[in-house]
Amino acid sequence: MQMFQIKKVTLTHRKDLRTILEDFSLVLNDGDRVVMIGEEGNGKSSLMKWIVNPAMVEDYIEAEGEKADGGEVLGYLPQELSEEDKKKSVYEFFCESAHFAEQTPKEMASLAKRFGVEKEFCYRDQKMQTLSGGERVKAQMMRILMGRPTVLLLDEPSNDIDIETLEVMERLINSWKGAVLFISHDETLIEHTANRVVHFEQIRRKTKCRHTVANMPYRQYVEERLHNFEKQEQMAITDRKEKEIREAKYRRLLQQVEHAQGAVSRQAPSVGKNLKDKMHSVKAMGKRFERLDEQMTEMPEQEEAIFFKLGDKESTIPAGKWVLQYAADQLKSVDGSRVLAENIELKIRGAEKIAIVGTNGCGKTTLLSILAKELLAREDIRAEYMTQDYEKLLDMDETPVDYLDTSGDKEERTRIRTYLGALKYTADEMEHPIRELSGGQKAKVLLLKLSMSGANVLILDEPTRNFSPLSGSVIRKMLKDFPGAVISVSHDRKYLEEVCDKVYRLTPEGLHEDVG
């Protein structure tokens, strides 16, 4: 691979003139597996789009900088499939690639096997938008690989794919001979693959951007970063204590000399001269202390973690209450043409946290929507449903404040702004149309809606899919501490381990609890 590099890139939001990335440079070499991390809205996806084609961001981003791709072939996986592509059939989607017709039957069979789909997958008449989220990612990755790229640019490759395909993605990234630059919120995927970390931050209430390029694996970076912050903070505290001691000493000596000068008699010129010399020495000491103050260790600055609480006492569900007792002979596909599973049974009592897992296309989201319909109609519980497709729930033209405001009351709008501030929104972002927000920022709006609703049962389809790995632990703790019940679909391995009391696998034969 020839050297692929980007030089001195600065990205500024056109609307609020906020710089989200400044003077950023990066060189990619063969074998580099570089993960870009940072909170939602910090410019990761915008930078990746700019690398692919600056025209993709010119509507909302003012960009400066240059890139030297060395003739590399870029393979780009966007975070979301375009509306135009969603309306195509699977076959039409593949035909858009000039490389599709060049594939031999053996190559097609190998690709299908690699991603766990049938050989005829590429020839389906089914619309792309009707595929499961994971199947869409598989289709995109298969089409990308047909073009034989040398550099992979992957924006959330872990979104919506099942655990088995996540492991395929891990093997693909780790075995890639060229460079991989990717964005992911899946901590396990990052830990298993990345050998370099690029961290984007917005500090000082999002008034200053900062980036770090670390040539080390993710877990090592997180641990060293925490250690360095703690060390710097301790040094800064020690320096400030020493400063207090110096200042107290200086004030005491200064007051002593000033008092002595005030009391000395004019008839004692020699004493006055000694005091004048002493005052000169004290002032010199003060100047020396000022120079020491300038060398003090600064308190470390880091992007503040989001603060959020989900639910209150009213969201508590009694331990013995049946939240769900569901049974069905068959689970059919949305269009009713296929039987996905039989003999479905699921019982949930009290504040249980459960997740449903399974292969892509097995019907998890379909089952969750059926459960949601039943639970939302109940009057003895207060259920809220967060789908995988945020656009079904959000009015994309509204601002976050307008969307969350149900009364128009001034106090409620103030409270909403306070909550959004705790979720890292700037005042400007609160006034942006929701369509201009990142996926993670949209997810935060929906989580805030859940919190304000007073729900005691949450139905969540991939709840952690758009949160940064640094926010992930906060989101997981928030859901674990929720006093009500949580029914979810997820492939996030840390979420399954840390939040869920039970994990059920959906198979053609029904739901079966995963043990161990």
Side-chain angles (χ1 to χ4, degrees):
M1 169 178 155
Q2 300 178 54
M3 189 177 292
F4 181 95
Q5 56 185 323
I6 54 178
K7 305 175 186 176
K8 297 186 177 301
V9 177
T10 295
L11 303 180
T12 304
H13 269 298
R14 291 186 184 275
K15 188 163 187 175
D16 54 30
L17 303 179
R18 182 168 61 89
T19 299
I20 56 174
L21 185 62
E22 187 172 21
D23 201 25
F24 173 74
S25 298
L26 181 69
V27 176
L28 295 176
N29 294 300
D30 282 342
D32 282 347
R33 303 185 296 278
V34 185
V35 64
M36 295 195 292
I37 64 171
E39 293 298 327
E40 298 74 30
N42 278 10
K44 303 182 296 295
S45 292
S46 294
L47 174 62
M48 187 168 283
K49 289 176 183 175
W50 179 85
I51 293 171
V52 176
N53 182 0
M56 295 173 70
V57 298
E58 63 185 11
D59 286 348
Y60 66 99
I61 291 289
E62 180 76 37
E64 298 176 3
E66 57 181 301
K67 58 179 177 176
D69 60 21
E72 299 297 329
V73 179
L74 306 183
Y76 170 56
L77 175 73
Q79 189 176 127
E80 297 288 347
L81 194 63
S82 71
E83 291 301 315
E84 182 182 352
D85 281 341
K86 285 180 183 177
K87 295 172 183 175
K88 296 171 184 171
S89 69
V90 176
Y91 180 62
E92 289 170 337
F93 177 74
F94 277 96
C95 284
E96 290 287 319
S97 169
H99 305 284
F100 181 45
E102 301 170 0
Q103 302 299 303
T104 66
K106 184 178 180 180
E107 288 172 330
M108 292 296 296
S110 176
L111 263 180
K113 182 179 179 181
R114 187 175 196 173
F115 287 96
V117 297
E118 73 276 10
K119 292 180 182 179
E120 296 76 24
F121 176 75
C122 300
Y123 302 96
R124 283 191 193 178
D125 290 329
Q126 186 178 356
K127 296 295 184 185
M128 289 290 291
Q129 62 189 0
T130 65
L131 295 177
S132 71
E135 287 174 318
R136 286 201 292 268
V137 172
K138 290 178 182 181
Q140 292 175 88
M141 285 303 303
M142 289 171 70
R143 195 176 83 166
I144 288 168
L145 294 182
M146 287 176 185
R148 294 181 172 80
T150 55
V151 176
L152 291 180
L153 302 173
L154 310 176
D155 194 349
E156 294 296 348
S158 54
N159 268 3
D160 309 324
I161 58 178
D162 57 44
I163 293 173
E164 290 78 11
T165 311
L166 272 169
E167 292 170 351
V168 171
M169 192 69 74
E170 288 176 3
R171 289 195 292 273
L172 171 66
I173 293 172
N174 283 330
S175 63
W176 195 255
K177 289 183 168 44
V180 183
L181 178 66
F182 70 103
I183 302 165
S184 180
H185 295 144
D186 188 310
E187 289 177 73
T188 306
L189 175 76
I190 295 171
E191 290 174 355
H192 288 178
T193 59
N195 57 16
R196 298 178 68 193
V197 177
V198 175
H199 186 185
F200 299 134
E201 295 177 273
Q202 298 284 326
I203 57 177
R204 300 179 192 173
R205 298 183 179 273
K206 287 194 172 183
T207 61
K208 180 177 174 58
C209 59
R210 180 174 70 188
H211 62 264
T212 304
V213 178
N215 297 317
M216 62 184 71
Y218 172 73
R219 184 50 52 193
Q220 182 183 348
Y221 169 70
V222 171
E223 291 171 357
E224 287 194 12
R225 180 173 180 267
L226 178 62
H227 172 74
N228 290 337
F229 270 116
E230 290 175 345
K231 182 179 178 180
Q232 183 179 343
E233 183 178 40
Q234 190 55 54
M235 289 175 64
I237 290 171
T238 300
D239 285 355
R240 277 151 184 74
K241 286 181 179 177
E242 291 177 353
K243 180 178 186 296
E244 289 178 6
I245 294 170
R246 289 197 301 267
E247 287 180 343
K249 178 181 179 181
Y250 176 71
R251 285 195 301 271
R252 186 172 62 252
L253 290 173
L254 184 64
Q255 288 171 357
Q256 287 175 353
V257 175
E258 286 177 341
H259 178 75
Q261 283 181 325
V264 71
S265 168
R266 290 183 179 180
Q267 281 74 36
S270 60
V271 175
K273 183 179 183 306
N274 287 338
L275 288 174
K276 189 174 181 180
D277 291 341
K278 194 167 187 180
M279 177 61 80
H280 180 75
S281 298
V282 171
K283 291 285 180 69
M285 178 191 294
K287 293 290 185 184
R288 189 170 70 254
F289 286 171
E290 286 177 9
R291 290 193 294 272
L292 287 173
D293 292 348
E294 291 172 0
Q295 298 169 16
M296 279 200 313
T297 305
E298 292 185 0
M299 289 296 287
E301 288 184 292
Q302 58 181 316
E303 195 164 19
E304 299 170 1
I306 62 173
F307 174 76
F308 194 64
K309 185 176 181 181
L310 191 58
D312 51 28
K313 289 183 180 179
E314 294 182 2
S315 303
T316 303
I317 284 191
K321 181 176 178 59
W322 284 107
V323 173
L324 181 70
Q325 297 184 76
Y326 177 80
D329 293 334
Q330 291 184 330
L331 172 67
K332 291 188 176 182
S333 58
V334 175
D335 61 9
S337 63
R338 291 180 296 146
V339 175
L340 302 173
E342 296 181 315
N343 303 317
I344 307 292
E345 186 175 345
L346 181 61
K347 295 182 178 181
I348 299 171
R349 176 184 278 182
E352 277 190 302
K353 315 288 189 294
I354 74 106
I356 300 170
V357 300
T359 57
N360 289 133
C362 71
K364 301 182 298 297
T365 291
T366 302
L367 175 59
L368 196 69
S369 66
I370 292 170
L371 299 179
K373 186 175 181 181
E374 178 178 312
L375 292 165
L376 290 169
R378 294 254 298 273
E379 294 184 357
D380 61 320
I381 59 174
R382 297 186 305 282
E384 285 285 342
Y385 180 30
M386 180 174 168
T387 67
Q388 199 179 105
D389 187 353
Y390 301 151
E391 295 188 10
K392 290 180 179 178
L393 300 176
L394 295 166
D395 184 333
M396 306 302 283
D397 294 320
E398 282 191 315
T399 69
V401 177
D402 289 338
Y403 174 77
L404 294 166
D405 180 14
T406 58
S407 68
D409 181 73
K410 184 178 179 181
E411 289 185 5
E412 181 177 11
R413 291 180 72 84
T414 299
R415 187 166 64 253
I416 290 169
R417 288 177 177 279
T418 301
Y419 290 153
L420 287 170
L423 290 175
K424 309 292 291 298
Y425 281 82
T426 65
D428 286 325
E429 287 169 337
M430 295 178 198
E431 300 302 328
H432 284 187
I434 290 174
R435 71 172 65 259
E436 295 181 8
L437 302 178
S438 70
Q441 288 173 312
K442 291 172 185 171
K444 287 177 180 178
V445 172
L446 289 174
L447 279 176
L448 186 50
K449 183 176 183 291
L450 298 185
S451 178
M452 296 174 67
S453 71
N456 55 14
V457 177
L458 301 181
I459 308 138
L460 310 174
D461 198 347
E462 297 287 357
T464 60
R465 68 191 288 263
N466 273 310
F467 291 104
S468 78
L470 299 173
S471 291
S473 59
V474 179
I475 300 298
R476 293 193 296 271
K477 185 176 188 310
M478 175 188 75
L479 290 168
K480 181 68 176 175
D481 294 343
F482 176 64
V486 176
I487 305 167
S488 59
V489 166
S490 181
H491 299 124
D492 182 335
R493 288 161 283 187
K494 287 190 181 290
Y495 170 83
L496 298 175
E497 179 183 341
E498 296 176 16
V499 177
C500 300
D501 303 310
K502 294 179 181 177
V503 176
Y504 294 92
R505 182 169 295 275
L506 180 59
T507 71
E509 293 75 39
L511 279 171
H512 307 282
E513 185 176 351
D514 267 8
V515 180

